[in-house]
């Protein structure tokens, strides 16, 4: 994918940024800070909202909160410019989403990717573009962060989160990239932790037979150059499988065999067909049975890999699509391995498993204090026979503001101050907490919900302020009292 060279990028971007600044001024954005300062019982200051994750969800959440006058601080373990998967583990050439989607722009035309792109490359380049190049999307998010003045603290890994015993906030234990440890207190915490937000890769058991140096998950950071000349097997046929296979082929792999469990690739992206405003806004209010029906249906039919990603693989003569090939067993064979399938045995030098992600609390030690207490869908809903779905069963059962609920009421005070704004929220809220199409809708829902919770919690202070408010509209000299009619000349 060739990215056009910008023409006079400094002046064009400056003009766009001036336009955006004017729009923000017209809208009174960010709003005035109406939040009363809070301290913990020990006198330690508390920030309004802490957000874990500085990718597109964390940025959108922070900006949506700022629109409502709520200050957020974002913590991300990656260096600046490497937040999210775009510049690290993602390997697609372009995004899947149509370029016209407004993503995290939150209703601001001057904040859209299109405005940013056209300001640098022009209308003709926009018209010629099919899909957005992956690394260019990262460049856009870096710009978004700068122009919206998002407070991101990079190189900060959250090592533990602890709801306060008095249920007034959440403590975050942090470790900097230099190894320094610290902690902060926040009244509320947002987990904007992405696709693997409450766990990690779903790794099949058969890789246990292999040395760790002989396999990788498609989400691993890895130098694909080391696959040059090797026989590579790729398990799966989704987007990440195609991107991993293509990257290996482009790095000079001797061959790539895709082992695909299904007899064919799905043709239709059912998730795209579900993406209407009614569902975006109304999914949370659906009965449980209908929420499950939609998400399970999409899971069962699977999302096909993008057209371009599939062609990126098939254009190589040393790429092989093997259908009806679930893995039966894997055995080491010297420096190689043998993978057995119903269609026969394959010998590989390296294996890439593209098997998705799962909710996996033990894989996230920072959540150890809350993991046993989070209520999941399997705690409250039993699907119809034949509709069982492990991913959905493990999903957290969230409240209207994406907040966790306790499995046993009262057993984890403060758990409801943690908001799950990442992929596992999809069953409760729909796909509004990570994917580009509805990320602004999700961020606005999150922000308005948090604002409402804060107001209710601080009502006594706001009531006192209302009673004390004494800014006059009138001073008493704007009129002259009339004389009674009989006293008038």
């Amino acid at each position: 994918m060739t990215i056009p060279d910008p023409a006079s990028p400094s002046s064009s971007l400056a003009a766009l940024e001036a336009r955006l600044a004017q729009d923000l001024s017209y809208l009174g954005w960010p709003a005035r800070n109406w939040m009363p300062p809070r301290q913990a019982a020990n006198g330690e200051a508390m920030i309004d909202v802490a957000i874990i994750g500085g990718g597109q969800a964390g940025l959108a959440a922070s900006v949506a909160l700022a629109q409502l006058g709520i200050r957020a601080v974002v913590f991300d373990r990656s260096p600046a410019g490497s937040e999210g998967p775009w510049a690290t583990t993602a390997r697609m050439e372009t995004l899947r989403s149509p370029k016209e989607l407004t993503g995290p722009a939150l209703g601001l035309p001057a904040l859209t990717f299109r405005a940013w792109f056209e300001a640098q490359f022009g209308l003709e380049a926009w018209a010629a573009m099919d899909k957005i190049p992956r690394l260019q999307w990262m460049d856009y998010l870096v710009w978004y962060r700068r122009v919206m003045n998002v407070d991101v603290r990079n190189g900060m890994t959250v090592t533990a989160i602890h709801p306060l015993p008095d249920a007034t906030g959440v403590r975050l234990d942090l470790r900097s990239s230099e190894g320094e440890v610290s902690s902060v207190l926040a009244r509320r915490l947002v987990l904007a932790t992405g696709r693997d937000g409450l766990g990690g890769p779903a790794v099949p058991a058969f890789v246990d037979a292999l040395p760790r140096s002989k396999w990788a998950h498609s989400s691993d950071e890895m130098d694909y150059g080391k696959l040059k000349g090797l026989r590579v097997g790729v398990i799966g046929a989704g987007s990440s499988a195609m991107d991993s296979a293509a990257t290996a082929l482009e790095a000079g792999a001797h061959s790539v065999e895709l082992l695909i469990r299904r007899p064919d690739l799905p043709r239709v992206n059912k998730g795209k067909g579900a993406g209407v405003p009614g569902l975006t806004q109304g999914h949370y209010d659906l009965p449980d049975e209908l929420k499950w029906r939609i998400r399970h249906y999409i899971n069962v039919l699977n999302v096909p890999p993008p057209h371009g990603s599939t062609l990126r693989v098939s254009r190589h003569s040393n790429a092989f699509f093997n259908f009806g090939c679930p893995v039966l067993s894997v055995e080491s064979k010297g420096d190689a391995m043998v993978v057995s399938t119903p269609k026969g045995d394959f010998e590989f030098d390296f294996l890439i498993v593209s098997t998705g992600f799962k909710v996996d609390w033990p894989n996230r030690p920072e959540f150890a204090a809350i993991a046993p207490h989070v209520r999941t869908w399997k705690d409250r809903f039993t699907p119809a026979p034949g509709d069982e779905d492990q991913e959905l069963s493990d999903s957290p059962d969230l409240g209207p503001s994406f907040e966790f609920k306790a499995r046993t009421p009262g057993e984890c005070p403060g758990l409801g101050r943690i908001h799950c704004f990442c992929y596992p929220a999809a069953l409760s809220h729909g796909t509004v907490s990570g994917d580009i199409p509805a990320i602004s809708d999700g961020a606005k829902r999150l922000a308005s919900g948090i604002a409402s919770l804060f107001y209710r919690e601080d009502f006594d202070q706001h009531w006192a302020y209302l009673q004390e408010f004494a800014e006059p509209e009138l001073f008493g000299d704007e009129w002259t009292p009339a004389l009674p009619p009989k006293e008038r000349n």
Side-chain angles (χ1 to χ4, degrees):
M1 172 62 62
T2 302
I3 298 176
D5 293 326
S8 303
S10 297
S11 60
S12 54
L13 268 184
L16 175 63
E17 290 170 16
R19 170 184 154 198
L20 175 62
Q22 185 68 76
D23 290 343
L24 294 173
S25 176
Y26 287 155
L27 293 169
W29 195 340
R32 68 174 180 86
N33 183 8
W34 54 276
M35 295 284 294
R38 279 294 186 94
Q39 293 180 334
N42 63 0
E44 187 176 352
M46 303 177 76
I47 60 178
D48 294 339
V49 178
I51 299 175
I52 302 177
Q56 66 185 17
L59 295 178
S62 177
V63 174
L65 287 163
Q67 183 187 19
L68 300 182
I70 301 171
R71 179 173 178 266
V73 179
V74 181
F75 298 95
D76 195 285
R77 63 189 177 189
S78 302
S82 296
E83 303 88 352
W86 313 108
T88 53
T89 59
R91 297 180 178 90
M92 72 287 274
E93 290 183 317
T94 66
L95 307 188
R96 173 195 292 269
S97 301
K99 65 182 181 181
E100 295 82 7
L101 295 181
T102 57
L106 294 164
L108 295 166
L111 192 58
T112 59
F113 175 87
R114 179 173 182 174
W116 175 84
F117 181 92
E118 288 187 359
Q120 299 173 90
F121 310 114
L123 288 168
E124 290 186 6
W126 173 259
M129 177 193 291
D130 178 29
K131 295 287 196 322
I132 298 171
R134 166 177 56 88
L135 293 178
Q136 199 165 55
W137 183 254
M138 184 73 246
D139 292 341
Y140 161 70
L141 292 177
V142 170
W143 174 80
Y144 180 107
R145 166 183 170 175
R146 177 175 64 81
V147 295
M148 297 307 290
N149 197 30
V150 182
D151 185 356
V152 182
R153 316 286 173 88
N154 287 99
M156 300 297 289
T157 298
V158 177
T159 58
I161 60 174
H162 297 282
L164 298 182
D166 62 3
T168 59
V170 182
R171 181 176 294 280
L172 280 69
D173 293 337
L174 302 161
R175 184 182 65 249
S176 73
S177 54
E178 292 78 26
E180 298 177 355
V181 297
S182 60
S183 69
V184 297
L185 284 178
R187 294 184 64 183
R188 292 194 172 270
L189 173 64
V190 173
L191 305 181
T193 43
R195 183 63 181 81
D196 60 342
L198 301 180
V203 178
F206 58 70
V207 300
D208 293 342
L210 300 174
R212 189 61 179 89
S213 60
K214 290 295 183 180
W215 68 272
H217 190 270
S218 55
S219 66
D220 290 344
E221 291 192 49
M222 189 181 80
D223 176 13
Y224 272 60
K226 73 177 186 179
L227 302 182
K228 184 176 181 179
L230 300 186
R231 300 164 297 172
V232 177
V234 175
I235 310 299
S239 300
S240 60
M242 292 299 167
D243 295 330
S244 295
T247 305
L249 290 161
E250 291 159 4
H254 174 273
S255 60
V256 171
E257 304 268 1
L258 288 101
L259 304 187
I260 304 167
R261 174 177 51 86
R262 290 172 172 268
D264 198 358
L265 291 180
R267 301 289 199 271
V268 177
N269 181 356
K270 292 290 187 176
K272 185 177 179 181
V276 297
L279 184 63
T280 299
Q281 305 303 328
H283 181 95
Y284 182 79
D285 296 320
L286 288 174
D288 292 345
E289 293 79 7
L290 300 188
K291 290 182 181 182
W292 190 280
R293 181 194 299 178
I294 289 173
R295 297 308 308 167
H296 179 62
Y297 178 71
I298 293 172
N299 281 354
V300 168
L301 292 185
N302 275 5
V303 176
H307 177 73
S309 296
T310 308
L311 290 176
R312 186 182 167 200
V313 176
S314 63
R315 72 168 62 106
H316 294 269
S317 60
N318 54 339
F320 303 93
F321 292 72
N322 301 282
F323 295 98
C325 278
V327 174
L328 301 177
S329 65
V330 178
E331 295 181 3
S332 292
K333 181 181 179 182
D335 289 334
M337 69 191 76
V338 175
V339 177
S340 297
T341 78
K343 297 291 182 70
D345 294 345
F346 295 83
E347 191 165 322
F348 300 129
D349 302 304
F350 195 85
L351 191 66
I352 299 172
V353 291
S354 181
T355 43
F357 300 90
K358 65 178 181 178
V359 173
D360 184 10
W361 295 103
N363 191 52
R364 303 296 286 267
E366 68 269 33
F367 300 144
I370 64 169
H373 308 292
V374 173
R375 181 165 129 176
T376 63
W377 272 71
K378 63 176 171 282
D379 297 321
R380 58 180 290 277
F381 180 79
T382 301
D387 288 344
E388 295 82 4
D389 191 314
Q390 191 65 51
E391 176 188 306
L392 301 185
S393 291
D394 291 339
S395 297
D397 175 30
L398 302 176
S401 301
F402 298 87
E403 69 272 25
F404 286 130
K405 299 178 182 178
R407 180 176 286 121
T408 302
E411 77 173 2
C412 186
L415 181 64
R417 290 184 174 275
I418 304 173
H419 303 258
C420 180
F421 193 58
C422 52
Y423 182 81
L427 179 54
S428 291
H429 279 268
T431 52
V432 297
S433 55
D435 292 345
I436 290 171
I439 187 66
S440 285
D441 297 281
K444 290 178 180 179
R445 184 183 307 170
L446 173 74
S448 62
I450 288 177
S452 175
L453 291 168
F454 275 143
Y455 186 76
R456 182 170 58 191
E457 182 180 342
D458 298 335
F459 180 80
D460 288 344
Q461 289 171 272
H462 294 300
W463 170 243
Y465 174 79
L466 174 61
Q467 291 176 300
E468 295 167 3
F469 184 75
E471 180 182 308
E473 293 286 339
L474 297 173
F475 298 92
D477 59 358
E478 293 87 357
W479 67 92
T480 300
L483 294 171
K486 64 181 180 180
E487 296 181 20
R488 298 177 193 173
N489 292 332

